[in-house]
Amino acid sequence: MEFTVDQIAQLLDGTVEGDGSQMINNLEKIQEGKPGSIGFLANLKYEKHLYSTHCSAIIVSKDFVPQKSYTTTLVKVTDPYSAFSKLLESYAELTKPNPLGVEEPSFFGNDSTIGEGFYRGAFSYIGKNCTIGDNVKIYPQVYIGDNVTIGNNCVFHPGVKIYSETKIGSYCEIHGGTIIGGDGFGFTPQADGTYNNVPQLGNVVLEDHISIGSNSTIDCATMGSTLIKKGVKIDNHVQIAHNVTIGENTVIAAQAGVAGSTIIGKNCVLAGKSSIVGHIELADNTTIGGNTGVMKSVIEPGTTLFGFIGFDVKAFLKSYSVFKKLPLLQDKLRELEKKQ
Amino acid sequence: MEFTVDQIAQLLDGTVEGDGSQMINNLEKIQEGKPGSIGFLANLKYEKHLYSTHCSAIIVSKDFVPQKSYTTTLVKVTDPYSAFSKLLESYAELTKPNPLGVEEPSFFGNDSTIGEGFYRGAFSYIGKNCTIGDNVKIYPQVYIGDNVTIGNNCVFHPGVKIYSETKIGSYCEIHGGTIIGGDGFGFTPQADGTYNNVPQLGNVVLEDHISIGSNSTIDCATMGSTLIKKGVKIDNHVQIAHNVTIGENTVIAAQAGVAGSTIIGKNCVLAGKSSIVGHIELADNTTIGGNTGVMKSVIEPGTTLFGFIGFDVKAFLKSYSVFKKLPLLQDKLRELEKKQ
Amino acid sequence: MEFTVDQIAQLLDGTVEGDGSQMINNLEKIQEGKPGSIGFLANLKYEKHLYSTHCSAIIVSKDFVPQKSYTTTLVKVTDPYSAFSKLLESYAELTKPNPLGVEEPSFFGNDSTIGEGFYRGAFSYIGKNCTIGDNVKIYPQVYIGDNVTIGNNCVFHPGVKIYSETKIGSYCEIHGGTIIGGDGFGFTPQADGTYNNVPQLGNVVLEDHISIGSNSTIDCATMGSTLIKKGVKIDNHVQIAHNVTIGENTVIAAQAGVAGSTIIGKNCVLAGKSSIVGHIELADNTTIGGNTGVMKSVIEPGTTLFGFIGFDVKAFLKSYSVFKKLPLLQDKLRELEKKQ
C-alpha cells in the first residue's frame, strides 16, 4: 500500500511543504519513524523530534512555525491529531485482514446457518441450531455452543469460547481467550460445611458495537440474562459476574471486576483493577478510579470515586496526603499531651 | 419440558391458590417473568412485584397474606426460597445437556482409557497413558496431557488445559480457559542480573467435588503437589501458585490470588481480588475481605481480615472512618498547637 | 531414571554417610519424601524433619552435626541448597519431555518454514509466511497468525495464541492460554457518548530468554511495537497494555498490570497485583510491592514503593501502623480539645 505525500495531503485537505512526490507506506511515531513513513506533531512538547525525525513526512498544524532547520516534508492541516487519526483509520481500513471461507478441519453443527462473507478458521467449532449473520469472522480454535445467535460484522479472535444460548448483536469484536457464558459463581452452604451448586440456567446477551479484550470472562445469569448494552468497551482480564447489567457506552479497563447482580449505568468508566461488589447500582456517568473498591450504590450521576473503599476522589486524595504524614501527626499529638 | 402448576405444587409439598392446570415451562425472576414461567417471593422487599408480575405462578410462604389484588396463581409452601431452589435443581437436572460419544476429529493418545457415558468433543486432545473414569464430558478444544488420571462424573468445558501428570478426583467441573499445571514462577537470580529457571517437577492434585470457574490458573508444584482439597469452589481469574494447599470447602472468589507454598485452611472464604502472600498459613474458617492483602499467617480460626494490609475487619472500618476525616483532624491539631 | 546415592554424591562432589548403593528415582521435600527419593536440608529450621524423613537420602552441609539418631543416608556437600538445585536441573534436563514431529490434524500455512527438531501438536495452527527456528515445540491448540517470526528453542504450551506480525526471539517459553498481540484498548469518545475504535496497527516484540506464565496478555502497539526485552520473566494473569516497554531482566508477578505506553526499566520487580498507570517511566531496579498502585514516574533507580498509591515502603509502613491506631488518636485529640 503506497501513496505519495501529495495524495495524502489531498485526502487530509492539507498543503505540502517539501517533496510531495515521496512514497509513503507506513504510519509511525515522530520519534520512531523510518524513511517511507509519515508521523504527526500535535503536542509541541514533542517538537524537538521534528528536527531529528527519520519520517519522510510529518503532519503539523497550519500555524506551526519551525524554530530550527529540518529535513522532513511537512503536511500542514487544521488539526494534526484529527488528521492523523483519519489517516490511521483509512490505512487500517485498507490493510485490515479480510479472511474468507472455510479452513478444514472445522466443525459446523446441524441446523446452524451462517450468512455471506464469513470466515471459519481451522479447528473452530460451531454447535447446533446457531444463527449467524453476514461478514462474521470466526478465527481458529473458537468455540460457539448450541442455540447461539450472532448478528452481522462480528469478529471472534482465536480461542474465544461462547457458551450455548448466548445472544450477540452486530459489530461486536471479541479478542483471544475470552469466555462468554461460563457458570455464575453460586453455591448454597450445607449444614456439614460443604456447598451445593446453584444451577445457572440463564445466558449472556451482548447488544451491538461491543468490544471485549483478551482473556476476559462474562458469566451467564442464574436465571434471565447477564446483559451488556450497546457500545460497551471491555479491556483484558475483566470479570463480569452473573446477572450483571452494564449500561450503554460504559468503558471497563483491564483487570476490573463487577460482582453478581450489580447494575452499572450508561457512560460510566471503571478504571483498571477497580472492583464493584454485588447487588448495587451505579448511576450514569459514574467514574471509578484504579484499584478502587465500591461497596455501596452510587445515586448521583457524574460521581467520581477513588480509594480502597472508594469515596469522593478529591476528599480521598486530601485524606491520603495527610495519611503520608501520620507519624508526624502522632508525634505532635504526643507532644501536646506531654505539655498538658 | 412442561408441567402443570398442580404437578409443581405436589413436588414442593405446597398448595395452589388459583388455576392449577396452567402449563409451566420456565423459571424466572418475579419481576422479569413471562406467561408460562414460575417465580418466587421470599423477601417481602419484593412484594410489590407480585401485583404486577407476568409469571403464571409465584411460590410464596404459606403465611403470606396479599395486600392488593393480583392475577397470578400462588403456590404456598413452608419456605419459598428452599422450594424454589429445589425446583431449580430439578429443572436443571432435567434440562442439563448430556452430550455423548466422540466428535471427530479428536485426539486420543496411546494407552489411555476412558469409562462409560463419555463425551469427547471435536478438537479435544487426550495424551498418552491417561486413566479417565465414567461419565466424563470433555468439550471441544480441551487439552489433557500425558499420565493424567480423572475420576467419574467430571466436566471439562471448552478450552480447558490440563498439563501432564495432573490427578483429578470425581465430580469436578472446570470452566472454559482454565489452565491446570503450568509451571510455578520460580527463578534464581544470577550474578549478572539475569535469572535461571527453577525446574518445576511437581504436579497438581484436585480432590473430589471441586468447581473451578473460567480463565483461572493453578500452577504445578516445584516438587510434590499443589493440592486442592475436597469441595473447594474457585471462581474466575483466580491464581493459585506452586505448592499451595487449599483446605476442604474453601471458597475463593474472582481475581483472588494465593502465592507460592501458602497453606489455606478448611472452610475459609477469600473474597474477590484478595491476595495471600507466599509461605504463610491461614487457620480454618478464616475470612479475607475483598481487595485485602494478607502478609502474615492467621493463627486464630474464624478470624476476619480486611484492609490494604488486612487486619481485624471492625478495627479496619473504624480506622478507615477516621481516615476520611484526616484533613479535619489535621486542622484541629494545628489549632491546638497554635493555642499553646 | 534411577541412580545410586553414590552416583549422585559423585555428581555433587559430596561424600556419603550410610548406604550409598540405594537406588534414587525422585527428588522430594525432606518432610514429604518417600523411599527412593532424595531431599535436602539447608535451613536448620527444618532439621527436625531429618530425624523422621522417609527420603532414602538427604543432602546436608559437610559441617552438619546431627543432634539425634536418624535412618536416612546423608550426602555431605559444601552448599546443600546449590547442590540440590544442581541435582534438580540435571534431573529436569533428563526427564524433560521432548516431543517431536507432527500430530495430525494440524494446520501449516503457505510460505511458512520451521527448522529442525520441532513438534507441532494436534489442532495447532500456524498461519502464512511464518519463519520459525530450530527446536521449537508447539503444543496442541496453539495459534500462530501470519507473518510471525520465532527464533530457536522456544516452547508454546497448549492454547497459546500469537497474533499476526509478532516477533519472538530464542529461548522463550509461554504457558497455556496466554494471548500475545490482541488489540490495545483505545477508543475516541464521540459527541453522542459513543466511542470509535482507534485502529491498532503495531505488533508485539519479545526478545530472547523470556518466560511468560498462563493466561497472561500482551497487547499490540497502536503503532510501532510493545517491547519485552531480554530475560524478562512474567507470571500468570499479567496484563501488559499497548506500547509498553519492559526492560531487561524485569520480573512481573501474578495479576500485575502495566497500562499503555509506560516504560519499565531493567531489573525491576513488580510484585503480585501491582498496577502501573500509563505514560510513565520506572527507573532501573525499581521494586513495586504487592497490590501497590503507581501513579507517577520513578526517577531514582533502586526505589521501593508500597501502598494504595505507592510511596517509600518504610514511610508507608510507618503511616499504616499509625492508621491502625487512628480511632485512638481521634479520642486523644478530642480529649485535648475538651481541656482547652
Side-chain angles (χ1 to χ4, degrees):
Chain A
M1 207 74 45
E2 281 205 329
F3 300 92
T4 64
V5 175
D6 283 336
Q7 286 173 321
I8 290 171
Q10 200 177 350
L11 173 77
L12 303 178
D13 263 338
T15 56
V16 175
E17 284 189 20
D19 177 3
S21 68
Q22 289 176 88
M23 300 307 295
I24 299 296
N25 55 37
N26 204 3
L27 289 82
E28 297 213 51
K29 290 192 187 165
I30 188 169
Q31 67 270 42
E32 293 175 357
K34 284 176 282 292
S37 69
I38 187 167
F40 76 107
L41 174 63
N43 183 338
L44 290 183
K45 201 174 110 184
Y46 296 97
E47 182 181 341
K48 65 176 178 187
H49 296 301
L50 181 81
Y51 308 113
S52 59
T53 187
H54 296 115
C55 287
S56 296
I58 296 294
I59 298 166
V60 298
S61 166
K62 62 183 180 182
D63 305 326
F64 175 69
V65 182
Q67 303 300 312
K68 298 192 199 172
S69 69
Y70 59 92
T71 57
T72 188
T73 292
L74 301 186
V75 177
K76 293 191 152 184
V77 300
T78 308
D79 176 349
Y81 186 76
S82 298
F84 192 75
S85 295
K86 189 179 168 187
L87 191 59
L88 204 58
E89 277 168 36
S90 306
Y91 182 85
E93 200 53 48
L94 286 166
T95 58
K96 199 168 116 175
N98 185 29
L100 285 169
V102 184
E103 287 168 355
E104 295 295 357
S106 59
F107 189 98
F108 197 75
N110 293 332
D111 302 317
S112 287
T113 61
I114 188 164
E116 299 186 347
F118 67 84
Y119 167 58
R120 296 200 286 107
F123 318 123
S124 66
Y125 183 102
I126 293 170
K128 287 174 282 199
N129 199 31
C130 294
T131 305
I132 304 178
D134 292 336
N135 301 311
V136 172
K137 310 299 181 186
I138 296 167
Y139 276 83
Q141 300 145 345
V142 166
Y143 169 87
I144 294 173
D146 298 338
N147 308 314
V148 173
T149 65
I150 297 172
N152 302 317
N153 302 300
C154 291
V155 183
F156 299 88
H157 288 276
V160 165
K161 312 297 177 202
I162 309 290
Y163 278 53
S164 295
E165 313 298 337
T166 304
K167 309 291 171 215
I168 299 180
S170 292
Y171 295 97
C172 291
E173 181 162 11
I174 305 183
H175 278 278
T178 284
I179 312 291
I180 307 291
D183 274 2
F185 192 62
F187 303 93
T188 46
Q190 304 301 299
D192 63 355
T194 65
Y195 292 88
N196 279 0
N197 288 22
V198 175
Q200 303 291 319
L201 302 172
N203 73 344
V204 176
V205 173
L206 307 181
E207 295 185 350
D208 300 337
H209 293 285
I210 287 166
S211 296
I212 307 180
S214 303
N215 278 346
S216 285
T217 57
I218 304 180
D219 284 351
C220 75
T222 310
M223 290 184 296
S225 298
T226 303
L227 175 59
I228 314 296
K229 291 193 173 172
K230 222 164 63 173
V232 167
K233 308 297 177 190
I234 293 177
D235 199 354
N236 302 343
H237 299 283
V238 168
Q239 152 74 352
I240 307 290
H242 55 105
N243 291 91
V244 163
T245 296
I246 309 285
E248 291 179 21
N249 306 317
T250 280
V251 172
I252 305 182
Q255 298 175 317
V258 181
S261 299
T262 279
I263 298 172
I264 309 281
K266 288 192 284 190
N267 293 92
C268 295
V269 175
L270 310 188
K273 278 206 182 71
S274 56
S275 313
I276 319 296
V277 294
H279 298 274
I280 67 169
E281 299 195 22
L282 301 194
D284 296 346
N285 295 296
T286 299
T287 299
I288 306 299
N291 293 332
T292 292
V294 180
M295 299 186 63
K296 57 181 189 188
S297 289
V298 172
I299 309 302
E300 190 66 40
T303 301
T304 298
L305 300 184
F306 192 57
F308 184 80
I309 304 173
F311 56 99
D312 175 71
V313 57
K314 282 180 193 161
F316 176 82
L317 292 174
K318 271 184 202 157
S319 280
Y320 202 75
S321 74
V322 183
F323 170 82
K324 291 187 181 185
K325 296 182 289 185
L326 273 182
L328 186 66
L329 258 72
Q330 181 176 243
D331 289 349
K332 284 181 177 175
L333 190 63
R334 280 179 185 156
E335 233 162 274
L336 283 174
E337 282 182 308
K338 265 188 233 157
K339 287 181 185 166
Q340 291 290 313
Chain B
M1 207 75 45
E2 281 205 330
F3 300 90
T4 64
V5 175
D6 283 335
Q7 286 172 320
I8 290 170
Q10 198 176 350
L11 173 76
L12 303 178
D13 262 338
T15 56
V16 175
E17 285 191 20
D19 177 3
S21 68
Q22 289 176 90
M23 300 308 294
I24 299 294
N25 56 36
N26 203 4
L27 290 81
E28 298 213 51
K29 290 192 188 165
I30 188 169
Q31 68 270 42
E32 293 174 359
K34 284 176 281 295
S37 68
I38 185 167
F40 76 107
L41 174 64
N43 183 338
L44 289 182
K45 202 174 109 184
Y46 296 97
E47 181 180 342
K48 65 176 179 188
H49 296 301
L50 181 81
Y51 308 112
S52 59
T53 188
H54 298 115
C55 287
S56 296
I58 297 292
I59 298 167
V60 298
S61 165
K62 61 181 181 187
D63 306 325
F64 175 70
V65 182
Q67 304 300 311
K68 299 191 196 171
S69 70
Y70 59 92
T71 57
T72 189
T73 292
L74 302 186
V75 177
K76 293 192 154 184
V77 300
T78 309
D79 175 351
Y81 186 76
S82 297
F84 192 75
S85 294
K86 188 180 170 188
L87 191 58
L88 204 57
E89 277 168 35
S90 306
Y91 182 84
E93 200 54 47
L94 285 167
T95 58
K96 198 168 117 175
N98 184 28
L100 284 169
V102 184
E103 287 168 355
E104 296 295 358
S106 59
F107 189 98
F108 196 75
N110 293 331
D111 301 316
S112 286
T113 62
I114 189 164
E116 299 186 348
F118 67 84
Y119 167 58
R120 296 198 288 107
F123 319 122
S124 66
Y125 183 102
I126 294 170
K128 288 173 283 198
N129 199 32
C130 293
T131 305
I132 304 177
D134 291 337
N135 300 313
V136 172
K137 309 300 180 185
I138 297 167
Y139 277 82
Q141 302 146 345
V142 165
Y143 168 87
I144 293 174
D146 299 337
N147 308 314
V148 172
T149 65
I150 297 171
N152 301 319
N153 301 301
C154 292
V155 183
F156 299 88
H157 289 277
V160 166
K161 314 296 178 202
I162 309 290
Y163 278 54
S164 295
E165 315 296 338
T166 303
K167 309 289 171 217
I168 299 180
S170 292
Y171 296 97
C172 291
E173 180 161 14
I174 305 183
H175 278 279
T178 284
I179 313 290
I180 307 291
D183 275 1
F185 193 61
F187 302 95
T188 46
Q190 304 301 300
D192 63 354
T194 65
Y195 292 87
N196 279 359
N197 288 22
V198 175
Q200 303 290 321
L201 302 173
N203 72 344
V204 176
V205 173
L206 306 182
E207 294 185 350
D208 299 338
H209 293 286
I210 288 166
S211 296
I212 307 179
S214 303
N215 278 346
S216 284
T217 57
I218 303 180
D219 284 350
C220 75
T222 309
M223 291 185 296
S225 298
T226 302
L227 175 57
I228 313 297
K229 292 192 175 172
K230 224 165 59 175
V232 167
K233 307 298 175 189
I234 293 176
D235 200 352
N236 302 345
H237 300 282
V238 169
Q239 151 74 353
I240 307 290
H242 54 105
N243 291 91
V244 163
T245 296
I246 308 286
E248 290 178 24
N249 305 318
T250 280
V251 172
I252 305 182
Q255 299 175 318
V258 181
S261 299
T262 279
I263 298 171
I264 309 281
K266 287 192 283 191
N267 293 92
C268 294
V269 175
L270 310 188
K273 279 208 181 71
S274 57
S275 313
I276 319 296
V277 294
H279 297 274
I280 66 169
E281 299 194 23
L282 301 194
D284 295 347
N285 295 296
T286 298
T287 298
I288 307 299
N291 293 332
T292 293
V294 180
M295 298 187 64
K296 57 182 189 187
S297 288
V298 172
I299 309 302
E300 189 66 40
T303 301
T304 298
L305 300 185
F306 192 58
F308 184 80
I309 304 172
F311 57 99
D312 174 72
V313 57
K314 281 180 194 161
F316 175 82
L317 292 174
K318 271 184 202 158
S319 281
Y320 202 76
S321 75
V322 183
F323 170 83
K324 291 187 180 184
K325 297 181 289 183
L326 274 183
L328 187 67
L329 259 72
Q330 181 176 243
D331 290 348
K332 283 181 177 175
L333 190 62
R334 279 180 185 154
E335 233 162 273
L336 283 173
E337 282 182 308
K338 266 188 232 155
K339 286 182 183 163
Q340 292 289 315
Chain C
M1 206 73 48
E2 282 205 329
F3 300 92
T4 64
V5 176
D6 284 336
Q7 286 172 318
I8 289 172
Q10 198 176 352
L11 173 78
L12 302 179
D13 263 339
T15 55
V16 176
E17 284 190 20
D19 177 3
S21 69
Q22 287 175 91
M23 299 308 294
I24 298 295
N25 56 35
N26 204 3
L27 290 82
E28 296 213 51
K29 289 190 187 166
I30 188 169
Q31 68 270 43
E32 293 174 359
K34 285 174 281 293
S37 68
I38 185 166
F40 76 107
L41 173 64
N43 184 337
L44 290 182
K45 202 173 107 183
Y46 297 97
E47 182 179 342
K48 64 174 179 187
H49 296 301
L50 181 81
Y51 309 113
S52 58
T53 188
H54 297 115
C55 287
S56 295
I58 296 292
I59 298 167
V60 298
S61 165
K62 61 182 180 183
D63 306 325
F64 175 69
V65 182
Q67 304 300 311
K68 299 192 197 172
S69 69
Y70 60 92
T71 57
T72 189
T73 292
L74 301 186
V75 177
K76 293 192 153 185
V77 299
T78 309
D79 176 350
Y81 185 76
S82 298
F84 192 75
S85 293
K86 190 178 167 188
L87 191 59
L88 204 57
E89 278 169 35
S90 306
Y91 182 85
E93 200 54 47
L94 285 167
T95 58
K96 198 168 116 176
N98 184 29
L100 284 168
V102 184
E103 286 168 355
E104 295 296 357
S106 59
F107 188 98
F108 197 75
N110 293 332
D111 302 316
S112 287
T113 62
I114 189 165
E116 299 186 346
F118 68 84
Y119 168 58
R120 295 198 289 107
F123 318 122
S124 66
Y125 184 102
I126 293 170
K128 289 173 284 197
N129 199 32
C130 293
T131 305
I132 303 178
D134 292 337
N135 301 311
V136 172
K137 310 299 181 185
I138 296 167
Y139 276 82
Q141 301 147 344
V142 166
Y143 169 86
I144 294 174
D146 299 337
N147 308 313
V148 172
T149 65
I150 297 172
N152 302 317
N153 302 299
C154 291
V155 183
F156 299 88
H157 288 276
V160 166
K161 312 298 177 199
I162 310 290
Y163 278 52
S164 295
E165 314 297 338
T166 303
K167 310 290 171 216
I168 299 180
S170 292
Y171 296 96
C172 291
E173 181 162 12
I174 304 183
H175 278 278
T178 285
I179 313 290
I180 308 291
D183 274 1
F185 193 61
F187 302 93
T188 46
Q190 304 301 298
D192 63 355
T194 66
Y195 291 88
N196 279 359
N197 288 21
V198 175
Q200 303 290 321
L201 302 173
N203 73 345
V204 176
V205 173
L206 306 181
E207 295 186 350
D208 300 338
H209 292 285
I210 288 167
S211 296
I212 307 179
S214 303
N215 278 347
S216 285
T217 57
I218 303 180
D219 283 351
C220 75
T222 309
M223 291 184 296
S225 297
T226 302
L227 176 58
I228 313 297
K229 292 193 174 171
K230 224 164 61 175
V232 167
K233 307 298 176 191
I234 293 176
D235 199 352
N236 302 345
H237 300 283
V238 169
Q239 152 75 351
I240 308 289
H242 55 104
N243 292 92
V244 163
T245 296
I246 308 285
E248 292 179 21
N249 305 317
T250 280
V251 172
I252 305 181
Q255 298 175 316
V258 181
S261 299
T262 279
I263 298 172
I264 309 280
K266 289 192 282 192
N267 292 91
C268 295
V269 175
L270 310 188
K273 279 208 182 72
S274 56
S275 313
I276 320 295
V277 295
H279 298 275
I280 66 168
E281 299 194 23
L282 300 194
D284 296 345
N285 295 297
T286 299
T287 298
I288 307 299
N291 292 334
T292 293
V294 180
M295 299 188 62
K296 57 181 187 185
S297 289
V298 172
I299 310 299
E300 190 67 39
T303 302
T304 297
L305 300 185
F306 192 56
F308 185 80
I309 303 173
F311 56 99
D312 174 72
V313 56
K314 281 181 194 161
F316 176 82
L317 292 174
K318 271 185 202 160
S319 280
Y320 202 76
S321 75
V322 184
F323 171 82
K324 292 187 180 184
K325 297 182 288 184
L326 274 183
L328 186 66
L329 259 73
Q330 182 177 242
D331 289 350
K332 284 182 176 175
L333 190 62
R334 279 181 185 155
E335 233 162 274
L336 283 173
E337 281 182 309
K338 267 188 232 157
K339 287 181 185 166
Q340 291 291 312

